[in-house]
Amino acid sequence: MTLQNKILSVAKDTILNEAKAVAHLESLLDDSFSNAVECIYNSKGRVIITGIGKSAIIATKIVATLNSTGTPAIFMHAADAIHGDLGTILEDDVVICISKSGNTPEIKVLVPLIKNFNNKLIAITGNKDSFLGQQADYVLNAFVEKEACPNNLAPTTSTTAQLVIGDALAVCLLDLRGFSSKDFAKYHPGGALGKKLYLRVSDITKANQKPEVSLTTDIKKVIVEISEKMLGVTAVTKDNKIVGIITDGDLRRMLAKTDNFEALTAQDIMSASPKTIDNDAMAVDAMDVLETNGISQLLAEENGTYSGVVHLHNLIREGII
């Protein structure tokens, strides 16, 4: 076996091992999971998630997922908790403790302290019979038969299972809260993802110039309008309503067909009934129209009147594409 084949073989075995373990989690779900979700949903407090080692890293990711989907959450490292950070936990908070074995020294010290606060305790563990499993109010079974690590030591498959359980919790809570894409946008205002969720056509058209000519505008003025507004296009309007569109491509085709264009007007070379989009539509919808029709510019309307232009370059610049 070549080195390349060996590498690919190990990688595939790792993925298959973890995929099998994740699929098995479905059969481990029981009433304890649904009760835990209801407990968090009905809580007036936050979700405090704790763990140690690799489980602590998974805890921080679950915290981020919960926060971004409408469930306030805070990470508390198990080691720090027993050295002063227990003050993080408030009266109405629900605590999730993540531990593969459920028997680590830090967990054995921390769990009784949490119980003394009378907060509900949810365990994500691969050992339901562990100290953590026995003490928790709800146990979410993250058992895996073996790690992907050939020595069955490095947390690999087990941390993947913990992560998936956390995602399942977050998605269930998202569903119960009726968390919509608009809600999601509130928590993700930055970057391309946020812009896809909140950026509207109007945000683009108001930043662009507004090229516009009438049906009887002569070709020289049409060329000047397209050139000055720098969008490679102009709308042709009548009573502020769109009746046509002229692109720089239309101008090139006109020049290829005739040498005498001084007598021509906008209506002679325009394309009638162009593709349009409502000014209040999402920018991502404008992208879909451009891609579907293989065009670079799109005219926008507001209440039936011409409002501006969306260019493919605008969407690229905003990170929509």
mmCIF file of all heavy atoms in Angstrom, residues 92-129:
data_model
loop_
_atom_site.group_PDB
_atom_site.id
_atom_site.type_symbol
_atom_site.label_atom_id
_atom_site.label_comp_id
_atom_site.label_asym_id
_atom_site.label_seq_id
_atom_site.Cartn_x
_atom_site.Cartn_y
_atom_site.Cartn_z
ATOM 1 N N ASP A 92 -32.169 30.766 38.422
ATOM 2 C CA ASP A 92 -33.045 30.113 37.438
ATOM 3 C C ASP A 92 -32.295 29.447 36.291
ATOM 4 O O ASP A 92 -32.915 28.966 35.348
ATOM 5 C CB ASP A 92 -34.030 31.134 36.860
ATOM 6 C CG ASP A 92 -35.012 31.637 37.908
ATOM 7 O OD1 ASP A 92 -35.453 30.818 38.730
ATOM 8 O OD2 ASP A 92 -35.316 32.850 37.899
ATOM 9 N N ASP A 93 -30.980 29.417 36.365
ATOM 10 C CA ASP A 93 -30.188 28.834 35.284
ATOM 11 C C ASP A 93 -30.287 27.306 35.276
ATOM 12 O O ASP A 93 -30.465 26.669 36.312
ATOM 13 C CB ASP A 93 -28.718 29.227 35.416
ATOM 14 C CG ASP A 93 -28.486 30.707 35.171
ATOM 15 O OD1 ASP A 93 -29.353 31.355 34.557
ATOM 16 O OD2 ASP A 93 -27.425 31.208 35.600
ATOM 17 N N VAL A 94 -30.171 26.749 34.070
ATOM 18 C CA VAL A 94 -30.075 25.299 33.887
ATOM 19 C C VAL A 94 -28.628 24.984 33.543
ATOM 20 O O VAL A 94 -28.026 25.663 32.710
ATOM 21 C CB VAL A 94 -31.006 24.813 32.756
ATOM 22 C CG1 VAL A 94 -30.812 23.318 32.499
ATOM 23 C CG2 VAL A 94 -32.456 25.113 33.094
ATOM 24 N N VAL A 95 -28.055 23.979 34.187
ATOM 25 C CA VAL A 95 -26.651 23.640 33.968
ATOM 26 C C VAL A 95 -26.538 22.356 33.155
ATOM 27 O O VAL A 95 -27.209 21.359 33.452
ATOM 28 C CB VAL A 95 -25.905 23.462 35.304
ATOM 29 C CG1 VAL A 95 -24.432 23.110 35.048
ATOM 30 C CG2 VAL A 95 -26.011 24.728 36.151
ATOM 31 N N ILE A 96 -25.728 22.406 32.108
ATOM 32 C CA ILE A 96 -25.403 21.207 31.320
ATOM 33 C C ILE A 96 -23.944 20.868 31.578
ATOM 34 O O ILE A 96 -23.067 21.709 31.395
ATOM 35 C CB ILE A 96 -25.625 21.425 29.815
ATOM 36 C CG1 ILE A 96 -27.090 21.728 29.515
ATOM 37 C CG2 ILE A 96 -25.171 20.192 29.022
ATOM 38 C CD1 ILE A 96 -27.376 22.035 28.050
ATOM 39 N N CYS A 97 -23.697 19.648 32.003
ATOM 40 C CA CYS A 97 -22.328 19.191 32.257
ATOM 41 C C CYS A 97 -21.969 18.122 31.225
ATOM 42 O O CYS A 97 -22.710 17.140 31.063
ATOM 43 C CB CYS A 97 -22.216 18.631 33.671
ATOM 44 S SG CYS A 97 -20.524 18.240 34.151
ATOM 45 N N ILE A 98 -20.846 18.319 30.535
ATOM 46 C CA ILE A 98 -20.422 17.387 29.491
ATOM 47 C C ILE A 98 -19.193 16.621 29.953
ATOM 48 O O ILE A 98 -18.194 17.214 30.353
ATOM 49 C CB ILE A 98 -20.101 18.138 28.182
ATOM 50 C CG1 ILE A 98 -21.284 19.011 27.754
ATOM 51 C CG2 ILE A 98 -19.752 17.153 27.073
ATOM 52 C CD1 ILE A 98 -21.008 19.857 26.529
ATOM 53 N N SER A 99 -19.277 15.301 29.898
ATOM 54 C CA SER A 99 -18.136 14.464 30.281
ATOM 55 C C SER A 99 -18.319 13.083 29.683
ATOM 56 O O SER A 99 -19.374 12.463 29.865
ATOM 57 C CB SER A 99 -18.025 14.353 31.803
ATOM 58 O OG SER A 99 -17.024 13.417 32.180
ATOM 59 N N LYS A 100 -17.304 12.603 28.974
ATOM 60 C CA LYS A 100 -17.404 11.267 28.381
ATOM 61 C C LYS A 100 -17.558 10.205 29.463
ATOM 62 O O LYS A 100 -18.482 9.389 29.429
ATOM 63 C CB LYS A 100 -16.182 10.959 27.524
ATOM 64 C CG LYS A 100 -16.219 9.545 26.939
ATOM 65 C CD LYS A 100 -14.923 9.180 26.233
ATOM 66 C CE LYS A 100 -14.966 7.734 25.752
ATOM 67 N NZ LYS A 100 -13.699 7.316 25.111
ATOM 68 N N SER A 101 -16.675 10.226 30.437
ATOM 69 C CA SER A 101 -16.715 9.190 31.474
ATOM 70 C C SER A 101 -17.695 9.512 32.582
ATOM 71 O O SER A 101 -18.272 8.608 33.208
ATOM 72 C CB SER A 101 -15.314 9.012 32.085
ATOM 73 O OG SER A 101 -14.967 10.126 32.881
ATOM 74 N N GLY A 102 -17.892 10.794 32.843
ATOM 75 C CA GLY A 102 -18.771 11.200 33.943
ATOM 76 C C GLY A 102 -18.156 10.971 35.305
ATOM 77 O O GLY A 102 -18.837 11.117 36.329
ATOM 78 N N ASN A 103 -16.869 10.623 35.350
ATOM 79 C CA ASN A 103 -16.222 10.273 36.618
ATOM 80 C C ASN A 103 -14.922 11.029 36.869
ATOM 81 O O ASN A 103 -14.150 10.637 37.743
ATOM 82 C CB ASN A 103 -15.942 8.766 36.663
ATOM 83 C CG ASN A 103 -17.205 7.946 36.832
ATOM 84 O OD1 ASN A 103 -18.056 8.274 37.664
ATOM 85 N ND2 ASN A 103 -17.340 6.889 36.039
ATOM 86 N N THR A 104 -14.629 12.077 36.107
ATOM 87 C CA THR A 104 -13.373 12.799 36.312
ATOM 88 C C THR A 104 -13.408 13.513 37.664
ATOM 89 O O THR A 104 -14.478 13.889 38.162
ATOM 90 C CB THR A 104 -13.154 13.833 35.196
ATOM 91 O OG1 THR A 104 -14.271 14.743 35.177
ATOM 92 C CG2 THR A 104 -13.048 13.168 33.840
ATOM 93 N N PRO A 105 -12.255 13.705 38.293
ATOM 94 C CA PRO A 105 -12.200 14.316 39.621
ATOM 95 C C PRO A 105 -12.897 15.672 39.690
ATOM 96 O O PRO A 105 -13.612 15.967 40.658
ATOM 97 C CB PRO A 105 -10.697 14.446 39.884
ATOM 98 C CG PRO A 105 -10.071 13.369 39.058
ATOM 99 C CD PRO A 105 -10.917 13.276 37.819
ATOM 100 N N GLU A 106 -12.683 16.514 38.667
ATOM 101 C CA GLU A 106 -13.290 17.848 38.683
ATOM 102 C C GLU A 106 -14.809 17.758 38.661
ATOM 103 O O GLU A 106 -15.505 18.533 39.334
ATOM 104 C CB GLU A 106 -12.802 18.660 37.482
ATOM 105 C CG GLU A 106 -11.326 19.007 37.506
ATOM 106 C CD GLU A 106 -10.445 17.900 36.956
ATOM 107 O OE1 GLU A 106 -10.976 16.832 36.565
ATOM 108 O OE2 GLU A 106 -9.219 18.115 36.905
ATOM 109 N N ILE A 107 -15.347 16.815 37.876
ATOM 110 C CA ILE A 107 -16.793 16.637 37.789
ATOM 111 C C ILE A 107 -17.346 16.157 39.131
ATOM 112 O O ILE A 107 -18.403 16.615 39.593
ATOM 113 C CB ILE A 107 -17.147 15.631 36.672
ATOM 114 C CG1 ILE A 107 -16.704 16.182 35.308
ATOM 115 C CG2 ILE A 107 -18.641 15.322 36.677
ATOM 116 C CD1 ILE A 107 -17.331 17.490 34.916
ATOM 117 N N LYS A 108 -16.628 15.265 39.803
ATOM 118 C CA LYS A 108 -17.088 14.737 41.089
ATOM 119 C C LYS A 108 -17.121 15.821 42.160
ATOM 120 O O LYS A 108 -17.944 15.772 43.076
ATOM 121 C CB LYS A 108 -16.190 13.585 41.535
ATOM 122 C CG LYS A 108 -16.414 12.300 40.751
ATOM 123 C CD LYS A 108 -15.608 11.149 41.339
ATOM 124 C CE LYS A 108 -15.943 9.832 40.643
ATOM 125 N NZ LYS A 108 -15.189 8.696 41.226
ATOM 126 N N VAL A 109 -16.233 16.797 42.043
ATOM 127 C CA VAL A 109 -16.253 17.920 42.980
ATOM 128 C C VAL A 109 -17.345 18.919 42.613
ATOM 129 O O VAL A 109 -18.052 19.440 43.483
ATOM 130 C CB VAL A 109 -14.877 18.626 43.004
ATOM 131 C CG1 VAL A 109 -14.928 19.892 43.864
ATOM 132 C CG2 VAL A 109 -13.808 17.687 43.527
ATOM 133 N N LEU A 110 -17.490 19.179 41.301
ATOM 134 C CA LEU A 110 -18.393 20.229 40.826
ATOM 135 C C LEU A 110 -19.867 19.865 40.971
ATOM 136 O O LEU A 110 -20.682 20.695 41.405
ATOM 137 C CB LEU A 110 -18.081 20.545 39.361
ATOM 138 C CG LEU A 110 -18.999 21.556 38.658
ATOM 139 C CD1 LEU A 110 -18.939 22.903 39.368
ATOM 140 C CD2 LEU A 110 -18.603 21.702 37.194
ATOM 141 N N VAL A 111 -20.227 18.645 40.634
ATOM 142 C CA VAL A 111 -21.642 18.263 40.587
ATOM 143 C C VAL A 111 -22.366 18.486 41.919
ATOM 144 O O VAL A 111 -23.456 19.070 41.947
ATOM 145 C CB VAL A 111 -21.795 16.804 40.091
ATOM 146 C CG1 VAL A 111 -23.217 16.293 40.352
ATOM 147 C CG2 VAL A 111 -21.478 16.728 38.598
ATOM 148 N N PRO A 112 -21.827 18.035 43.066
ATOM 149 C CA PRO A 112 -22.525 18.287 44.333
ATOM 150 C C PRO A 112 -22.713 19.778 44.624
ATOM 151 O O PRO A 112 -23.719 20.178 45.222
ATOM 152 C CB PRO A 112 -21.599 17.645 45.375
ATOM 153 C CG PRO A 112 -20.835 16.619 44.623
ATOM 154 C CD PRO A 112 -20.616 17.212 43.273
ATOM 155 N N LEU A 113 -21.755 20.592 44.202
ATOM 156 C CA LEU A 113 -21.870 22.035 44.422
ATOM 157 C C LEU A 113 -23.030 22.612 43.614
ATOM 158 O O LEU A 113 -23.775 23.471 44.099
ATOM 159 C CB LEU A 113 -20.561 22.731 44.037
ATOM 160 C CG LEU A 113 -19.331 22.323 44.857
ATOM 161 C CD1 LEU A 113 -18.075 22.981 44.297
ATOM 162 C CD2 LEU A 113 -19.511 22.691 46.321
ATOM 163 N N ILE A 114 -23.171 22.127 42.382
ATOM 164 C CA ILE A 114 -24.293 22.568 41.548
ATOM 165 C C ILE A 114 -25.610 22.123 42.165
ATOM 166 O O ILE A 114 -26.582 22.892 42.227
ATOM 167 C CB ILE A 114 -24.157 22.006 40.113
ATOM 168 C CG1 ILE A 114 -22.928 22.602 39.426
ATOM 169 C CG2 ILE A 114 -25.415 22.296 39.290
ATOM 170 C CD1 ILE A 114 -22.605 21.963 38.085
ATOM 171 N N LYS A 115 -25.646 20.905 42.658
ATOM 172 C CA LYS A 115 -26.864 20.384 43.272
ATOM 173 C C LYS A 115 -27.247 21.192 44.505
ATOM 174 O O LYS A 115 -28.431 21.365 44.807
ATOM 175 C CB LYS A 115 -26.672 18.911 43.643
ATOM 176 C CG LYS A 115 -26.378 17.992 42.459
ATOM 177 C CD LYS A 115 -27.565 17.856 41.538
ATOM 178 C CE LYS A 115 -28.636 16.960 42.158
ATOM 179 N NZ LYS A 115 -29.748 16.718 41.210
ATOM 180 N N ASN A 116 -26.241 21.717 45.213
ATOM 181 C CA ASN A 116 -26.519 22.528 46.402
ATOM 182 C C ASN A 116 -27.248 23.819 46.051
ATOM 183 O O ASN A 116 -27.958 24.387 46.883
ATOM 184 C CB ASN A 116 -25.211 22.870 47.135
ATOM 185 C CG ASN A 116 -24.645 21.683 47.888
ATOM 186 O OD1 ASN A 116 -25.365 20.719 48.178
ATOM 187 N ND2 ASN A 116 -23.353 21.738 48.195
ATOM 188 N N PHE A 117 -27.054 24.276 44.809
ATOM 189 C CA PHE A 117 -27.728 25.487 44.356
ATOM 190 C C PHE A 117 -29.164 25.203 43.901
ATOM 191 O O PHE A 117 -29.915 26.121 43.583
ATOM 192 C CB PHE A 117 -26.958 26.123 43.193
ATOM 193 C CG PHE A 117 -25.717 26.856 43.603
ATOM 194 C CD1 PHE A 117 -24.468 26.280 43.462
ATOM 195 C CD2 PHE A 117 -25.795 28.139 44.137
ATOM 196 C CE1 PHE A 117 -23.317 26.952 43.833
ATOM 197 C CE2 PHE A 117 -24.647 28.827 44.512
ATOM 198 C CZ PHE A 117 -23.397 28.230 44.363
ATOM 199 N N ASN A 118 -29.522 23.926 43.840
ATOM 200 C CA ASN A 118 -30.869 23.495 43.406
ATOM 201 C C ASN A 118 -31.160 23.831 41.952
ATOM 202 O O ASN A 118 -32.327 23.920 41.553
ATOM 203 C CB ASN A 118 -31.959 24.102 44.307
ATOM 204 C CG ASN A 118 -31.884 23.581 45.730
ATOM 205 O OD1 ASN A 118 -31.699 22.380 45.948
ATOM 206 N ND2 ASN A 118 -32.035 24.475 46.707
ATOM 207 N N ASN A 119 -30.109 24.025 41.155
ATOM 208 C CA ASN A 119 -30.321 24.218 39.721
ATOM 209 C C ASN A 119 -30.518 22.858 39.054
ATOM 210 O O ASN A 119 -29.940 21.857 39.471
ATOM 211 C CB ASN A 119 -29.122 24.896 39.084
ATOM 212 C CG ASN A 119 -28.919 26.308 39.582
ATOM 213 O OD1 ASN A 119 -28.310 26.511 40.623
ATOM 214 N ND2 ASN A 119 -29.429 27.284 38.853
ATOM 215 N N LYS A 120 -31.338 22.822 38.011
ATOM 216 C CA LYS A 120 -31.506 21.588 37.254
ATOM 217 C C LYS A 120 -30.205 21.266 36.533
ATOM 218 O O LYS A 120 -29.568 22.144 35.950
ATOM 219 C CB LYS A 120 -32.644 21.733 36.235
ATOM 220 C CG LYS A 120 -34.027 21.810 36.862
ATOM 221 C CD LYS A 120 -34.390 20.502 37.578
ATOM 222 C CE LYS A 120 -35.792 20.548 38.146
ATOM 223 N NZ LYS A 120 -36.139 19.297 38.877
ATOM 224 N N LEU A 121 -29.830 19.985 36.567
ATOM 225 C CA LEU A 121 -28.579 19.543 35.981
ATOM 226 C C LEU A 121 -28.837 18.536 34.863
ATOM 227 O O LEU A 121 -29.497 17.518 35.079
ATOM 228 C CB LEU A 121 -27.690 18.902 37.042
ATOM 229 C CG LEU A 121 -26.352 18.307 36.560
ATOM 230 C CD1 LEU A 121 -25.470 19.391 35.944
ATOM 231 C CD2 LEU A 121 -25.639 17.606 37.710
ATOM 232 N N ILE A 122 -28.320 18.859 33.688
ATOM 233 C CA ILE A 122 -28.427 17.974 32.521
ATOM 234 C C ILE A 122 -27.039 17.427 32.227
ATOM 235 O O ILE A 122 -26.067 18.185 32.143
ATOM 236 C CB ILE A 122 -28.965 18.732 31.297
ATOM 237 C CG1 ILE A 122 -30.359 19.290 31.582
ATOM 238 C CG2 ILE A 122 -28.996 17.820 30.061
ATOM 239 C CD1 ILE A 122 -30.862 20.259 30.516
ATOM 240 N N ALA A 123 -26.931 16.125 32.071
ATOM 241 C CA ALA A 123 -25.648 15.498 31.753
ATOM 242 C C ALA A 123 -25.625 15.066 30.294
ATOM 243 O O ALA A 123 -26.588 14.486 29.795
ATOM 244 C CB ALA A 123 -25.410 14.285 32.649
ATOM 245 N N ILE A 124 -24.526 15.363 29.623
ATOM 246 C CA ILE A 124 -24.233 14.766 28.320
ATOM 247 C C ILE A 124 -23.022 13.879 28.552
ATOM 248 O O ILE A 124 -21.905 14.367 28.732
ATOM 249 C CB ILE A 124 -23.933 15.823 27.244
ATOM 250 C CG1 ILE A 124 -25.136 16.748 27.035
ATOM 251 C CG2 ILE A 124 -23.567 15.146 25.918
ATOM 252 C CD1 ILE A 124 -24.900 17.850 26.004
ATOM 253 N N THR A 125 -23.247 12.590 28.587
ATOM 254 C CA THR A 125 -22.179 11.672 28.957
ATOM 255 C C THR A 125 -22.289 10.357 28.207
ATOM 256 O O THR A 125 -23.385 9.966 27.787
ATOM 257 C CB THR A 125 -22.197 11.400 30.482
ATOM 258 O OG1 THR A 125 -21.136 10.512 30.824
ATOM 259 C CG2 THR A 125 -23.529 10.794 30.917
ATOM 260 N N GLY A 126 -21.154 9.700 28.053
ATOM 261 C CA GLY A 126 -21.140 8.393 27.409
ATOM 262 C C GLY A 126 -21.317 7.261 28.401
ATOM 263 O O GLY A 126 -21.294 6.090 28.026
ATOM 264 N N ASN A 127 -21.529 7.606 29.678
ATOM 265 C CA ASN A 127 -21.669 6.585 30.724
ATOM 266 C C ASN A 127 -22.825 6.967 31.644
ATOM 267 O O ASN A 127 -22.654 7.743 32.596
ATOM 268 C CB ASN A 127 -20.353 6.460 31.504
ATOM 269 C CG ASN A 127 -20.404 5.361 32.547
ATOM 270 O OD1 ASN A 127 -21.401 4.655 32.686
ATOM 271 N ND2 ASN A 127 -19.309 5.212 33.288
ATOM 272 N N LYS A 128 -23.997 6.425 31.373
ATOM 273 C CA LYS A 128 -25.190 6.764 32.147
ATOM 274 C C LYS A 128 -25.054 6.345 33.605
ATOM 275 O O LYS A 128 -25.707 6.918 34.489
ATOM 276 C CB LYS A 128 -26.423 6.109 31.532
ATOM 277 C CG LYS A 128 -26.793 6.634 30.158
ATOM 278 C CD LYS A 128 -28.056 5.977 29.613
ATOM 279 C CE LYS A 128 -29.264 6.360 30.424
ATOM 280 N NZ LYS A 128 -30.520 5.818 29.834
ATOM 281 N N ASP A 129 -24.232 5.322 33.885
ATOM 282 C CA ASP A 129 -24.077 4.808 35.245
ATOM 283 C C ASP A 129 -22.963 5.501 36.015
ATOM 284 O O ASP A 129 -22.640 5.096 37.145
ATOM 285 C CB ASP A 129 -23.811 3.296 35.205
ATOM 286 C CG ASP A 129 -24.976 2.524 34.597
ATOM 287 O OD1 ASP A 129 -26.130 2.933 34.845
ATOM 288 O OD2 ASP A 129 -24.723 1.546 33.878
#
